[in-house]
Every structure is written in C-alpha cells, then in structure tokens.
Amino acid sequence: DGGITQSPKYLFRKEGQNVTLSCEQNLNHDAMYWYRQDPGQGLRLIYYSQIVNDFQKGDIAEGYSVSREKKESFPLTVTSAQKNPTAFYLCASSRGLAGGELFFGEGSRLTVL
Amino acid sequence: GEDVEQSLFLSVREGDSSVINCTYTDSSSTYLYWYKQEPGAGLQLLTYIFSNMDMKQDQRLTVLLNKKDKHLSLRIADTQTGDSAIYFCAETSPEYGNKLVFGAGTILRVKS
C-alpha cells in the first residue's frame, strides 16, 4: 500500500541535543512538506521541497534543517537552536506544489526533557 | 496576508447536524479544503471545493462557499461519535505559491 511513514512516533530528547525525524513516501510524489502542530495554533509550515536536491524555508524554519537527497525521503533535523521544540511534527507529500491534496504521515511527537 | 480563522470548539449530540465555519482572507484562493484529524494521527482530506462553486455535497458532508464574505462552512449531517476529531479548513492560492494555509482547527465533540 502506498503512503507516508514517519518515525519514530514518540521521541524524547535532552536540551542541547539534535534529533532527526524520518519521513519516507512511496507515492512517487514530487513535493514533500514538514509541519509543526501546537495546540490551538493549527499547522505551521517548517520546510518544503518541490524536487530532489531542492528545498525552501516555510514560515518557521529557524532551528530546523532538512535534506532531499532522494525523492522518497525528506528527513527533518530539530537542532539545539530551536527554542521550543516540544511539538507534534507532521510530514506530508503531494504530486506537485500547485495545490491539490496533501497526504500526511501519522506524525512524530517530540518531547524535550 | 495569509489568515484562515475557525472557531476552536463545537459540541453536538449524536444524530444532530454539525456546522463548522471558516473565514479566509485571500480572494484569489483557488481551492478550499476540509481536513480531518483523529487523535494522535495525521490529517486526511475530507472534501474540497473549487472557488467557482457555491456548494458541494458528498454523502453526509455539505460544503458551502460564500466568496463575497470569504466564508466556508462544513455541515455534517447525522453526526456520529466517530466524527469526533479536529477539522481543519485550508486554502491554496497563487499568492501563497500554491502552498496550503491551514486554520487552527475546530475540535468537534460528539456526545452520545
């Protein structure tokens, strides 16, 4: 079955550590996205990528980094520079950037201790 | 600028209709979407409407679009306990590079 797989589902980290969240899709989609979800604030776009080896900052990119070395993979690194990293992170993909349906993963919940 | 607003919470009784409202600011929006998020999960597309339509019906779901007031609503008929979730309104428009802009989400609680 085609879909998006995020891992890990739950992650704990100490302050000052970098962590990487995995996102893999087998939908053959060109575009991939990372969103952050906080209660009462909806989804905020962190980074997005339209094509391999290219990505763009979203609305809240500070303290995050991404790479897009393969079409099916778009990992997100939460660095120690991110002031408030505890959140629910959602990865999504779509056929292209020109609107259309986003397909979401199940999410990764990061808690900083 | 980009702004999609929704009320945060709605509580209904099982069997009643639910109406979730959304306002948006970009008059050039091309598509407007409703996504559903169940607890601890990702979002799933429920339905969408193209900006030149006024209404779209899909089984228990009815979407109404008032372009003049930039108002979008989602009506769920015969609401069931399985409809309890967070519902997100989203728009896409050329002004935002065709990226989706989401509202904060409306928590729907269905009481049996």
Side-chain angles (χ1 to χ4, degrees):
Chain A
D1 287 333
I4 298 183
T5 303
Q6 288 186 240
S7 63
K9 192 164 177 67
Y10 299 96
L11 184 61
F12 297 87
R13 117 174 174 198
K14 294 181 180 178
E15 280 191 22
Q17 288 181 334
N18 291 355
V19 294
T20 297
L21 308 180
S22 169
C23 178
E24 304 277 331
Q25 54 102 355
N26 60 2
L27 299 166
N28 200 32
H29 284 169
D30 287 315
M32 296 188 74
Y33 313 78
W34 274 104
Y35 288 90
R36 171 181 170 138
Q37 184 177 17
D38 296 283
Q41 293 194 50
L43 275 68
R44 292 182 289 169
L45 183 63
I46 304 172
Y47 269 98
Y48 64 100
S49 168
Q50 299 181 65
I51 197 168
V52 174
N53 291 323
D54 184 57
F55 48 83
Q56 309 293 329
K57 292 182 179 180
D59 300 318
I60 55 164
E62 186 176 349
Y64 300 98
S65 66
V66 293
S67 63
R68 186 87 187 275
E69 296 177 3
K70 297 185 295 183
K71 186 175 185 177
E72 57 270 23
S73 179
F74 192 41
L76 173 75
T77 297
V78 185
T79 75
S80 56
Q82 170 49 236
K83 298 276 187 286
N84 185 20
T86 294
F88 191 54
Y89 290 89
L90 286 162
C91 180
S93 71
S94 64
R95 287 190 185 86
L97 195 56
E101 180 179 1
L102 289 189
F103 292 80
F104 283 84
E106 291 289 293
S108 293
R109 184 166 297 281
L110 172 63
T111 303
V112 174
L113 304 173
Chain B
E2 314 169 0
D3 203 6
V4 177
E5 294 188 353
Q6 304 177 235
S7 53
L8 289 183
F9 186 76
L10 176 65
S11 179
V12 300
R13 293 196 179 279
E14 191 174 17
D16 288 350
S17 292
S18 307
V19 179
I20 302 171
N21 294 302
C22 169
T23 58
Y24 60 97
T25 55
D26 183 11
S27 58
S28 66
S29 289
T30 50
Y31 287 94
L32 295 129
Y33 302 83
W34 284 104
Y35 280 82
K36 176 183 179 182
Q37 183 183 34
E38 297 187 356
L43 280 68
Q44 288 185 305
L45 180 66
L46 269 184
T47 187
Y48 67 93
I49 189 167
F50 190 52
S51 58
N52 67 353
M53 298 168 65
D54 298 324
M55 185 183 86
K56 181 178 180 180
Q57 187 149 5
D58 183 2
Q59 299 181 332
R60 292 191 297 121
L61 306 178
T62 303
V63 179
L64 295 177
L65 175 60
N66 181 329
K67 283 197 72 174
K68 176 176 170 288
D69 295 335
K70 300 190 186 73
H71 182 264
L72 183 74
S73 68
L74 173 69
R75 178 177 181 269
I76 305 173
D78 186 25
T79 313
Q80 303 297 306
T81 54
D83 294 324
S84 293
I86 304 176
Y87 291 81
F88 290 91
C89 170
E91 64 172 337
T92 183
S93 75
E95 183 179 347
Y96 310 152
N98 286 318
K99 297 187 297 294
L100 278 182
V101 177
F102 287 88
T106 300
I107 299 170
L108 174 64
R109 180 186 166 213
V110 182
K111 295 178 286 188
S112 57

Coordinates of all heavy atoms in Angstrom, one line a residue, chain A residues 33-48 57-62 64 76 82 84-91 102 104, chain B residues 2 43 88 99-104:
Chain A
Y33 N 6.6 18.0 2.5 CA 6.5 19.1 3.5 C 6.7 18.6 4.9 O 6.4 17.5 5.2 CB 5.1 19.7 3.4 CG 4.5 19.9 2.0 CD1 4.0 18.9 1.3 CD2 4.4 21.2 1.5 CE1 3.5 19.1 0.0 CE2 3.9 21.5 0.3 CZ 3.5 20.4 -0.5 OH 2.9 20.7 -1.8
W34 N 7.1 19.6 5.8 CA 7.1 19.4 7.2 C 6.3 20.5 7.9 O 6.5 21.7 7.6 CB 8.6 19.4 7.8 CG 9.2 18.1 7.7 CD1 10.2 17.7 6.8 CD2 9.0 16.9 8.5 NE1 10.6 16.4 7.1 CE2 9.9 15.9 8.1 CE3 8.2 16.7 9.6 CZ2 9.9 14.6 8.7 CZ3 8.2 15.4 10.2 CH2 9.1 14.4 9.8
Y35 N 5.4 20.0 8.7 CA 4.6 21.0 9.5 C 4.8 20.7 11.0 O 5.1 19.6 11.4 CB 3.1 20.8 9.2 CG 2.6 21.2 7.9 CD1 2.6 20.4 6.8 CD2 2.2 22.5 7.7 CE1 2.2 20.8 5.5 CE2 1.7 23.0 6.5 CZ 1.7 22.1 5.4 OH 1.3 22.5 4.2
R36 N 4.6 21.7 11.8 CA 4.6 21.6 13.2 C 3.2 21.9 13.7 O 2.6 22.9 13.2 CB 5.6 22.6 13.8 CG 5.6 22.7 15.3 CD 6.6 23.8 15.8 NE 6.3 24.0 17.2 CZ 7.2 24.1 18.1 NH1 8.5 24.1 17.8 NH2 6.9 24.3 19.4
Q37 N 2.8 21.1 14.6 CA 1.4 21.4 15.2 C 1.5 21.6 16.7 O 2.0 20.7 17.4 CB 0.5 20.2 14.9 CG -0.9 20.4 15.4 CD -1.9 19.2 15.0 OE1 -1.4 18.1 14.7 NE2 -3.2 19.5 15.0
D38 N 1.0 22.7 17.1 CA 0.9 23.0 18.6 C -0.6 23.2 18.9 O -1.4 23.7 18.0 CB 1.7 24.3 18.9 CG 3.1 24.1 18.7 OD1 3.8 23.5 19.5 OD2 3.7 24.6 17.6
P39 N -1.0 22.9 20.1 CA -2.5 23.1 20.4 C -3.0 24.5 20.2 O -2.3 25.5 20.6 CB -2.5 22.7 21.9 CG -1.3 21.9 22.1 CD -0.2 22.4 21.2
G40 N -4.1 24.6 19.5 CA -4.7 25.9 19.3 C -4.1 26.7 18.2 O -4.5 27.8 18.0
Q41 N -3.0 26.2 17.6 CA -2.3 27.0 16.6 C -2.4 26.4 15.2 O -1.8 26.9 14.3 CB -0.8 27.2 17.0 CG -0.7 28.1 18.2 CD 0.8 28.5 18.4 OE1 1.4 29.0 17.4 NE2 1.3 28.3 19.5
G42 N -3.0 25.3 15.1 CA -3.0 24.6 13.8 C -1.7 24.2 13.3 O -0.8 23.9 14.0
L43 N -1.5 24.1 12.0 CA -0.3 23.6 11.3 C 0.5 24.8 10.8 O 0.0 25.7 10.1 CB -0.6 22.7 10.2 CG -0.9 21.2 10.5 CD1 -2.2 21.1 11.3 CD2 -1.0 20.4 9.3
R44 N 1.8 24.8 11.1 CA 2.7 25.8 10.6 C 3.8 25.1 9.8 O 4.4 24.1 10.2 CB 3.3 26.6 11.7 CG 2.3 27.5 12.5 CD 2.9 28.3 13.6 NE 3.3 27.5 14.7 CZ 4.1 27.9 15.7 NH1 4.5 29.2 15.7 NH2 4.4 27.1 16.7
L45 N 4.0 25.7 8.6 CA 5.0 25.1 7.7 C 6.4 25.4 8.0 O 6.8 26.5 8.2 CB 4.7 25.6 6.2 CG 5.5 25.0 5.1 CD1 5.2 23.6 4.9 CD2 5.1 25.8 3.8
I46 N 7.2 24.3 8.1 CA 8.6 24.5 8.5 C 9.5 24.5 7.3 O 10.2 25.5 7.1 CB 9.1 23.3 9.4 CG1 8.2 23.1 10.6 CG2 10.5 23.5 9.8 CD1 8.5 21.9 11.4
Y47 N 9.4 23.5 6.5 CA 10.2 23.4 5.2 C 9.4 22.7 4.2 O 8.5 21.9 4.5 CB 11.5 22.7 5.4 CG 12.7 23.5 5.8 CD1 13.1 23.6 7.1 CD2 13.5 24.2 4.8 CE1 14.2 24.4 7.4 CE2 14.6 24.9 5.1 CZ 15.0 25.0 6.4 OH 16.1 25.8 6.8
Y48 N 9.6 22.9 2.9 CA 9.0 22.1 1.9 C 10.0 21.9 0.7 O 11.0 22.7 0.6 CB 7.7 22.7 1.4 CG 7.8 24.1 0.7 CD1 7.9 24.2 -0.7 CD2 7.9 25.2 1.5 CE1 7.9 25.4 -1.3 CE2 8.0 26.5 0.8 CZ 8.0 26.6 -0.5 OH 8.1 27.8 -1.1
K57 N 12.5 27.3 2.7 CA 12.0 27.6 4.1 C 10.5 27.9 4.1 O 10.0 28.6 3.2 CB 12.8 28.8 4.7 CG 14.2 28.5 4.9 CD 14.9 29.7 5.6 CE 16.4 29.4 5.9 NZ 17.0 30.6 6.5
G58 N 9.9 27.4 5.1 CA 8.5 27.8 5.3 C 8.4 28.9 6.3 O 9.3 29.8 6.3
D59 N 7.3 29.0 7.1 CA 7.1 30.1 7.9 C 7.9 30.1 9.2 O 8.1 31.1 9.8 CB 5.6 30.2 8.3 CG 4.7 30.3 7.1 OD1 5.1 31.1 6.2 OD2 3.7 29.6 7.0
I60 N 8.3 28.9 9.7 CA 9.0 28.8 11.0 C 10.3 27.9 10.8 O 10.5 27.0 11.6 CB 8.1 28.3 12.1 CG1 7.5 26.9 11.6 CG2 7.0 29.3 12.4 CD1 6.9 26.2 12.8
A61 N 11.2 28.2 9.9 CA 12.3 27.4 9.6 C 13.4 27.5 10.6 O 14.3 26.6 10.7 CB 12.8 27.7 8.2
E62 N 13.5 28.5 11.4 CA 14.6 28.7 12.3 C 14.7 27.6 13.3 O 13.8 27.2 14.0 CB 14.5 30.1 13.0 CG 15.7 30.4 13.9 CD 15.6 31.8 14.5 OE1 14.6 32.5 14.2 OE2 16.4 32.1 15.4
Y64 N 15.6 24.5 12.5 CA 15.4 23.3 11.8 C 16.2 23.2 10.5 O 16.7 24.2 10.0 CB 13.9 23.1 11.3 CG 12.9 23.2 12.5 CD1 12.2 24.4 12.8 CD2 12.6 22.0 13.2 CE1 11.3 24.4 13.8 CE2 11.7 22.1 14.2 CZ 11.0 23.3 14.5 OH 10.1 23.3 15.5
L76 N 13.8 15.5 8.7 CA 13.9 16.8 9.4 C 14.8 16.7 10.6 O 14.6 15.8 11.4 CB 12.5 17.2 9.8 CG 12.3 18.5 10.7 CD1 12.5 19.8 9.9 CD2 11.0 18.5 11.4
Q82 N 16.7 25.4 18.2 CA 15.2 25.5 18.2 C 14.8 25.7 19.7 O 15.0 24.9 20.5 CB 14.5 24.3 17.6 CG 13.0 24.2 17.8 CD 12.2 25.5 17.5 OE1 11.5 26.0 18.3 NE2 12.4 26.0 16.3
N84 N 11.9 26.1 21.3 CA 10.8 25.4 21.9 C 10.4 24.2 21.0 O 9.4 24.3 20.3 CB 9.6 26.4 22.0 CG 8.4 25.8 22.8 OD1 8.6 24.8 23.5 ND2 7.3 26.3 22.6
P85 N 11.2 23.2 21.0 CA 11.0 22.1 20.1 C 9.9 21.1 20.4 O 9.5 20.3 19.6 CB 12.3 21.4 20.1 CG 12.9 21.6 21.4 CD 12.4 23.0 21.9
T86 N 9.4 21.1 21.6 CA 8.3 20.1 22.0 C 7.1 20.4 21.2 O 6.5 21.5 21.3 CB 8.0 20.2 23.5 OG1 9.2 19.8 24.2 CG2 6.9 19.3 23.9
A87 N 6.7 19.4 20.4 CA 5.5 19.6 19.5 C 5.2 18.3 18.8 O 6.0 17.3 18.9 CB 5.8 20.7 18.4
F88 N 4.2 18.3 18.0 CA 3.8 17.2 17.1 C 4.2 17.6 15.7 O 3.8 18.7 15.2 CB 2.3 17.0 17.2 CG 1.8 15.7 16.6 CD1 2.3 14.5 16.9 CD2 0.7 15.8 15.7 CE1 1.8 13.3 16.4 CE2 0.2 14.6 15.1 CZ 0.8 13.4 15.5
Y89 N 5.0 16.7 15.1 CA 5.6 17.1 13.7 C 4.9 16.2 12.7 O 4.8 14.9 12.8 CB 7.1 16.9 13.7 CG 7.8 17.9 14.6 CD1 8.0 17.7 15.9 CD2 8.2 19.1 14.0 CE1 8.7 18.7 16.7 CE2 8.8 20.1 14.8 CZ 9.0 19.8 16.1 OH 9.7 20.8 16.9
L90 N 4.4 16.8 11.6 CA 3.7 16.1 10.6 C 4.4 16.3 9.2 O 4.8 17.4 8.9 CB 2.3 16.6 10.4 CG 1.3 16.2 11.5 CD1 0.1 17.1 11.6 CD2 0.9 14.7 11.3
C91 N 4.7 15.2 8.6 CA 5.2 15.2 7.2 C 4.1 14.9 6.2 O 3.1 14.2 6.5 CB 6.3 14.1 7.1 SG 7.1 14.0 5.5
L102 N -2.9 17.0 0.0 CA -1.7 16.6 0.8 C -2.0 15.2 1.4 O -3.1 15.0 2.0 CB -1.4 17.6 1.8 CG -0.9 19.0 1.4 CD1 -0.4 19.7 2.7 CD2 0.3 18.8 0.5
F104 N -0.8 12.9 4.5 CA 0.0 13.1 5.7 C 0.5 11.7 6.3 O -0.2 10.7 6.2 CB -0.9 13.8 6.7 CG -1.0 15.3 6.5 CD1 -1.9 15.7 5.6 CD2 -0.2 16.1 7.2 CE1 -2.1 17.1 5.4 CE2 -0.3 17.5 7.0 CZ -1.2 18.0 6.1
Chain B
E2 N -1.9 36.1 4.8 CA -2.4 34.8 5.0 C -3.1 34.7 6.3 O -2.5 34.9 7.3 CB -1.3 33.7 4.9 CG -0.3 33.9 3.8 CD 0.8 32.9 4.0 OE1 0.9 32.2 5.0 OE2 1.7 33.0 3.1
L43 N -3.5 14.1 9.2 CA -4.7 14.7 8.6 C -5.1 13.9 7.4 O -4.2 13.4 6.6 CB -4.5 16.1 8.2 CG -4.5 17.2 9.3 CD1 -3.4 17.1 10.3 CD2 -4.6 18.6 8.6
F88 N -9.9 20.8 10.0 CA -9.1 22.0 9.6 C -9.6 22.5 8.2 O -9.8 21.7 7.3 CB -7.6 21.6 9.4 CG -6.9 21.3 10.7 CD1 -6.8 20.0 11.2 CD2 -6.2 22.3 11.4 CE1 -6.2 19.7 12.4 CE2 -5.6 22.0 12.5 CZ -5.5 20.8 13.0
K99 N 0.9 27.0 -1.9 CA 1.0 26.2 -0.7 C -0.3 26.2 0.1 O -1.0 27.2 0.0 CB 2.2 26.7 0.2 CG 3.5 26.6 -0.5 CD 4.6 26.9 0.5 CE 4.6 28.3 1.0 NZ 4.9 29.3 -0.1
L100 N -0.6 25.2 0.9 CA -1.8 25.2 1.7 C -1.5 26.1 2.9 O -0.5 26.0 3.6 CB -2.1 23.8 2.1 CG -2.9 22.9 1.2 CD1 -3.2 21.6 1.8 CD2 -4.2 23.6 0.7
V101 N -2.6 26.9 3.3 CA -2.5 27.6 4.5 C -3.7 27.1 5.4 O -4.9 27.1 4.9 CB -2.7 29.1 4.3 CG1 -2.8 29.9 5.6 CG2 -1.6 29.7 3.4
F102 N -3.4 26.6 6.6 CA -4.4 26.0 7.4 C -4.9 26.9 8.5 O -4.2 27.8 9.0 CB -3.7 24.8 8.1 CG -3.5 23.6 7.3 CD1 -2.3 23.5 6.6 CD2 -4.4 22.6 7.1 CE1 -2.0 22.4 5.7 CE2 -4.2 21.5 6.3 CZ -3.0 21.4 5.6
G103 N -6.1 26.7 8.9 CA -6.7 27.3 10.1 C -6.2 26.6 11.3 O -5.5 25.6 11.2
A104 N -6.6 27.1 12.5 CA -6.1 26.5 13.7 C -6.8 25.2 14.1 O -6.4 24.4 15.0 CB -6.3 27.5 14.9

